[in-house]
Amino acid sequence: MHGRAILSRHDAERPLPSGMDEPVFAEPWQAEAFALTVALHEKGLFSWSEWAEMLSAEVKVPGAAQDGSDYYRHWLRALEKLLAAKGLAPVHDVDDLAAAWQRAAHATPHGKPILLENDPLHDR
């Protein structure tokens, strides 16, 4: 088995290396953005090289955090730009939907699920 690690049941009992027990994503939306990107790629909506090029350009924009704390904001923006460039999700549609979710969140009583139907402008 060239290039593949062979693990035994004893490997599962060993503690993770230092730092490996920390979450990969700081917030749930980051994991969702990651999973969505992978799923859209797997459906053939874009190639991985197209994705890498878009993400690379996005993380190089002026004003990016030096510590990388805004990495997944760049990730999400790159995904939005790529989908818009492909004509799959025009920017104005994404912006309109994001605004609707924001209004729904503000209109939803604390402790209740946020539903798009809670947007005061829904169905207008």
Side-chain angles (χ1 to χ4, degrees):
M1 301 204 105
H2 184 262
R4 298 184 87 163
I6 299 174
L7 301 176
S8 71
R9 66 182 179 87
H10 299 290
D11 291 322
E13 298 168 1
R14 293 183 186 153
L16 292 172
S18 177
M20 294 294 292
D21 56 348
E22 297 175 17
V24 175
F25 303 102
E27 298 179 35
W29 70 266
Q30 296 171 346
E32 291 169 2
F34 180 90
L36 180 59
T37 302
V38 171
L40 293 174
H41 163 69
E42 288 175 350
K43 288 201 174 278
L45 296 179
F46 51 83
S47 70
W48 204 251
S49 61
E50 288 174 305
W51 164 248
E53 184 178 323
M54 189 65 75
L55 179 59
S56 178
E58 189 61 30
V59 296
K60 292 177 185 173
V61 298
Q66 293 297 318
D67 65 357
S69 60
D70 57 354
Y71 180 74
Y72 281 102
R73 289 199 197 311
H74 292 295
W75 181 287
L76 188 57
R77 187 68 187 136
L79 181 58
E80 290 172 353
K81 286 181 177 181
L82 183 57
L83 295 178
K86 297 244 175 217
L88 300 169
V91 174
H92 68 282
D93 288 352
V94 172
D95 290 345
D96 289 350
L97 188 57
W101 277 108
Q102 192 69 11
R103 288 188 303 268
H106 287 297
T108 301
H110 181 72
K112 299 290 182 184
I114 299 171
L115 305 172
L116 196 53
E117 294 79 28
N118 295 348
D119 174 8
L121 301 181
H122 184 70
D123 291 332
R124 282 193 184 181

